Every structure is written in structure tokens, then in C-alpha cells.
Amino acid sequence: MPNGSSKSYCLLGFPLGVLLLFLVFSSFPMNESPNQQFFSSLTLSSLIDHTNALQSSSSTSPLSNSPPISIKKRSNLERREEELRKARVAIRRAVKFKNCTSNEAMSNYIPTGQIYRNSFAFHQSHIEMMKRFKVWSYKEGDQPLVHGGPVNDIYGIEGQFIDELENVMGGPSSRFRASQPEEAHAFFLPFSVANIVHYVYQPIASPADFSRARLHRIFNDYVDVVARKYPLWNQSNGADHFMVSCHDWAPDVPGSKPEFFKNFIRGLCNANTSEGFKPNIDFSIPEINIPKGKLQPPFMGQNPENRTILAFFAGRAHGYIREILFSYWKGKDKDIQVYDNLTEGQNYHELIGHSKFCLCPSGYEVASPREVEAIYSGCVPVVISDNYSLPFNDVLDWSKFSVEIPVKQISEIKKILQEIPHDKYLQLHKNVMKVRRHFMVNRPAQPFDVFHMILHSVWLRRLNIKLPSSI
């Protein structure tokens, strides 16, 4: 399998958790030299070293004896990097002058307000993405392990994104589709972890069957195929390649060769920073429980004055956090309504719609569909988790539309929520209703919806690296 090359790329170094926020504090020149490092003039103490260069592995690559890349392909790379340079300049200018510019109407929606870390940066970045970003989805492989995935239930976003990118957003008429791989800024590996587990691992008859060895072998073989066929993986050491998955096993995909895959971008629901999730490279995506035959559950949200339940949760006692929650609140308080099972006649979405706050405790893994279910219904999410990197938090300011309660303060939930002033609750509710569009599943995708937010997460990470022009 390819194991790196002698080439390296420059990590432009900004911690992506606040990637767009940096623009507020920077004073960059409007003209950027093609060889200048992006973000090089930042001086905020919270930033990591902007001169980090990710070095390629010292191991020999099977591709090391391949013929040199052609002049045409080198020109394609230079053109791609120039497109990204122009995008960076436009984003800087938008923040400096607090005004976004575009030669065409990308969307009727204009991001404004406090739900964004920097609305000018995000708006211009989205414009630049819509105008310039090209993605190549590798064609190699056959269904069901690649080019498809589940489209319903809690893993549904995985299959929905693969299908949308390959057949609609990435289809022949899409602005995001690269006509050939050499024109792309980023490269999608369209395999489905959920389908691999379903078709390769079933039935599971013993603890040994949970071994990730087969998952590693399938993933490694796929990367080996595309890396041998194209020069693109070795060109960046995988730093412009990405996957998207909501399966619990997805974080383990590169586990057999962590050094080789250290730059590979993973879009994960299970975004646990204590288990190898790297916010400056990986990105968090929302876990969405997609109903069969529909794209979202029915909206039963009430106006704030009709929400008579202070806080609500219903779900299984999966994981230690929920066990703690149940020990304090299950069936013990009419204001903090916590259930493991609803009784006949109780409607889950109706109860959410009548609640001011919706408790969102992690289960066995950090991610849960509860945050999105709350947002869909206009209920303010109360995030109760350890080490969870929240979806799209490099753009969205979750503190403006949610409440975070540490696990150690579960016993104080009622006190904490009751002490939130009514005016602040109304603002939180208003912001929840505003942020809904970024979590909506639309087919075909619409600007600023969840598919565009996923792509924008990839776009941000591609903006933060610069590939060498001589390869």
C-alpha cells in the first residue's frame, strides 16, 4: 500500500474550531503572494504554530518509481491553488469591510446574527465555495460497500450524503463536480462504514467478530487502489481526501496505519476528542434520525408561551451519562420529565414540541440524534456530554442556541434551567429556529442546508492547506 512520498504540503495552521473567527482580528494585505502561507501574520496567543509543515512518511511508496507528473497536471494544481488564494483574499476582504461580494445570486438567505462565529466570514466563504469548490468522488468499487449506504434511521445521513454528492451535488449538472480528478480541490472516498458492518460483519457470533481487521483491510485496499491509479493521494499525503460516516466504528477506519492516515479528513458523527477526533483536521457532522419515506420528522413545535414542560428526555439508558440522568430525574419531577419508555398515548415529537428545553445526553457514543430533533422542533438543546465536538462548530456558535451542562452537574439541571432569564430563553428559542436550516436534509440539496454545511467543513480544511506547486 502507498506509504507516503517525498513530497510535503504546508499546513496553514489555523485551529479550525475558530477558523472563520480569526478574520475578525487579522489585518492581512489584500494581495497575497502565491507562495505566502495563509494565516502567517496571525499573532493571537491561542493559535497553533502557523509554520507547521506536515512531513511525509519516510517509508518508501510503491509509487516512488512512477514517472514524473505531467506539465498539464502541474498546471492544474497551480490553478487550483490560485482559486483557493482568491477565495482567502475575498474572505479577508469581506470581514475587513463587513460586506460580502458575489457576481451571482447564490441564495436568497444571508447569514446574519449571533448564531455565527463570524457571519461575514461564513457568508463570503460559502459564496466562494459555491463559486469555486470542485470535488472528485472516486468511481472505483462496487455497491453495496461503496457508492451507497443507509438512507434512513440514525446512520441515514451517511447514505444520503453519498447519494447526493455522487448523483446530484456531484452530478453532471452540479457546480461542485470536477470533470476530471486533476481539477478537484478535494477527493471523496465514497465507502459506507455502515454497509461494511452490515454486509461483512453479520452475523456476529463471538467477541472476536468485533475485530476491526476486516474494516481496516477494506479501507486500506480501497486507498491502495486509488493511490496507485492516480497521483492525488501522494500529492497531499491524503490531506485533501475525506470520508463521511455516522457509524460508531467510523473513527476506527484508519486505525491500522495511524501515521499514514494522520492527515486524512474524517467527517464523523462520533466526534469524540478523547478517542482521536482532531478538530483541526476532522469535522463533526450531526447524527440525524431520518424517518423512512421522509427527510425529517413532523414539526409539532409550539410557540414559547405554549411550551409548558421545562425539560424533556425520552430514551434508553445507554451509557453512563444517561444512567446518571435517570438516577436523578427519571419519574421524579413534573418539570424535568425523563422517561426510558413513553406510555401509550404519549407522542414523542409532541412532547418535544411542548418543551422549552430538550435534554441531549450522550449514549454509548458522544453523538446522539437528540440535538437535531430538538432543533427541528424549536426546543433549546441541553447538551450533556464529555469530549463531544459539536457539529459545524467552526462556523456555528452553539452557546447562542443551546445550553451546555457538565455531566458532574446533572443533579442541578432544574436549578440551572430555572435560573435562565426568560428574555434569554426567548433569544435561545429564536436562534434555534434560525439555525434549523443548517441541519435540514433537502433532496436535492439547497444552499446552507446540512449537505452544504458538510461540504463547507471540507472546504474550510482545504483552505487551510497549501500544496506545493513543484511536485
Side-chain angles (χ1 to χ4, degrees), residues 148-256:
V151 295
N152 300 114
D153 303 322
I154 60 172
Y155 301 144
I157 195 67
E158 181 174 312
Q160 293 280 358
F161 180 80
I162 292 172
D163 184 65
E164 180 70 22
L165 184 63
E166 293 204 317
N167 298 313
V168 185
M169 294 176 81
S173 62
S174 169
R175 66 172 74 239
F176 296 113
R177 182 182 184 273
S179 60
Q180 54 184 329
E182 292 81 7
E183 295 178 357
H185 302 98
F187 305 89
F188 180 52
L189 303 182
F191 61 89
S192 168
V193 176
N195 273 11
I196 290 172
V197 174
H198 178 74
Y199 289 101
V200 176
Y201 278 82
Q202 301 297 334
I204 293 178
S206 70
D209 292 333
F210 286 96
S211 168
R212 306 296 196 263
R214 284 175 283 177
L215 175 65
H216 292 157
R217 189 161 53 249
I218 292 169
F219 175 68
N220 293 346
D221 287 350
Y222 192 86
V223 172
D224 186 54
V225 167
V226 299
R228 290 177 182 276
K229 186 173 181 178
Y230 309 95
L232 304 166
W233 179 280
N234 283 355
Q235 181 175 276
S236 68
N237 297 317
D240 51 5
H241 287 59
F242 72 101
M243 61 171 277
V244 169
S245 178
C246 258
H247 197 278
D248 296 347
W249 290 15
D252 301 328
V253 162
S256 65

Side-chain angles (χ1 to χ4, degrees), residues 62 85 102 126 136 143 174 234 242 287 289 336 345 386 431 452 466 469:
R85 185 194 70 82
S102 175
H126 195 278
W136 178 262
Q143 291 184 337
S174 169
N234 283 355
F242 72 101
E287 185 170 300
N289 192 357
I336 309 297
D386 286 329
N431 289 343
H452 283 78
K466 185 175 182 180
S469 57

Side-chain angles (χ1 to χ4, degrees), residues 48-108:
I48 63 175
D49 181 6
H50 304 301
T51 61
N52 278 348
L54 297 186
Q55 300 298 325
S56 59
S57 169
S58 59
S59 303
T60 302
S61 167
L63 298 183
S64 59
N65 296 322
S66 300
I69 195 167
S70 69
I71 295 297
K72 179 180 179 182
K73 291 180 180 177
R74 183 161 60 241
S75 297
N76 281 331
L77 175 59
E78 292 171 347
R79 283 195 292 270
R80 297 200 309 268
E81 291 300 317
E82 175 64 11
E83 287 286 303
L84 298 174
R85 185 194 70 82
K86 291 178 180 179
R88 297 177 192 125
V89 170
I91 297 169
R92 294 168 179 160
R93 183 179 290 113
V95 172
K96 181 175 182 179
F97 297 108
K98 293 182 169 53
N99 184 38
C100 297
T101 57
S102 175
N103 294 328
E104 57 179 306
M106 299 292 182
S107 170
N108 293 327

Side-chain angles (χ1 to χ4, degrees), residues 91-379:
I91 297 169
R92 294 168 179 160
R93 183 179 290 113
V95 172
K96 181 175 182 179
F97 297 108
K98 293 182 169 53
N99 184 38
C100 297
T101 57
S102 175
N103 294 328
E104 57 179 306
M106 299 292 182
S107 170
N108 293 327
Y109 177 70
I110 298 177
T112 59
Q114 57 184 212
I115 65 171
Y116 303 106
R117 295 187 179 276
N118 186 305
S119 60
F120 297 105
F122 174 50
H123 190 193
Q124 190 67 48
S125 180
H126 195 278
I127 289 172
E128 298 300 319
M129 177 188 75
M130 297 285 287
K131 181 166 58 175
R132 305 179 190 278
F133 197 33
K134 299 296 181 185
V135 178
W136 178 262
S137 181
Y138 284 111
K139 313 303 179 188
E140 287 69 26
D142 298 308
Q143 291 184 337
L145 303 188
V146 292
H147 307 298
V151 295
N152 300 114
D153 303 322
I154 60 172
Y155 301 144
I157 195 67
E158 181 174 312
Q160 293 280 358
F161 180 80
I162 292 172
D163 184 65
E164 180 70 22
L165 184 63
E166 293 204 317
N167 298 313
V168 185
M169 294 176 81
S173 62
S174 169
R175 66 172 74 239
F176 296 113
R177 182 182 184 273
S179 60
Q180 54 184 329
E182 292 81 7
E183 295 178 357
H185 302 98
F187 305 89
F188 180 52
L189 303 182
F191 61 89
S192 168
V193 176
N195 273 11
I196 290 172
V197 174
H198 178 74
Y199 289 101
V200 176
Y201 278 82
Q202 301 297 334
I204 293 178
S206 70
D209 292 333
F210 286 96
S211 168
R212 306 296 196 263
R214 284 175 283 177
L215 175 65
H216 292 157
R217 189 161 53 249
I218 292 169
F219 175 68
N220 293 346
D221 287 350
Y222 192 86
V223 172
D224 186 54
V225 167
V226 299
R228 290 177 182 276
K229 186 173 181 178
Y230 309 95
L232 304 166
W233 179 280
N234 283 355
Q235 181 175 276
S236 68
N237 297 317
D240 51 5
H241 287 59
F242 72 101
M243 61 171 277
V244 169
S245 178
C246 258
H247 197 278
D248 296 347
W249 290 15
D252 301 328
V253 162
S256 65
K257 297 188 176 183
E259 183 65 21
F260 181 78
F261 292 114
K262 66 181 180 180
N263 306 321
F264 176 59
I265 302 170
R266 300 173 301 166
L268 303 173
C269 288
N270 188 17
N272 190 332
T273 57
S274 71
E275 297 179 355
F277 180 86
K278 299 172 288 185
N280 61 323
I281 295 176
D282 304 321
F283 62 96
S284 176
I285 61 176
E287 185 170 300
I288 303 176
N289 192 357
I290 302 176
K292 289 180 172 61
K294 300 178 182 178
L295 294 177
Q296 52 263 328
F299 178 77
M300 304 182 74
Q302 301 295 311
N303 293 328
E305 58 271 18
N306 294 326
R307 292 178 179 264
T308 56
I309 302 170
L310 178 62
F312 168 78
F313 171 79
R316 302 284 182 86
H318 292 167
Y320 73 97
I321 294 177
R322 294 189 186 181
E323 290 177 356
I324 297 172
L325 178 69
F326 283 3
S327 70
Y328 281 104
W329 298 108
K330 177 186 170 184
K332 296 180 180 179
D333 195 293
K334 65 180 181 62
D335 294 320
I336 309 297
Q337 298 191 15
V338 173
Y339 303 88
D340 55 357
N341 283 296
L342 295 178
T343 61
E344 185 177 353
Q346 289 181 306
N347 183 291
Y348 179 76
H349 296 291
E350 185 176 347
L351 286 167
I352 292 178
H354 280 84
S355 300
K356 293 180 179 179
F357 298 94
C358 287
L359 306 181
C360 304
S362 292
Y364 291 131
E365 306 294 347
V366 291
S368 160
R370 299 304 191 284
E371 284 86 358
V372 175
E373 289 172 344
I375 289 170
Y376 279 177
S377 296
C379 184

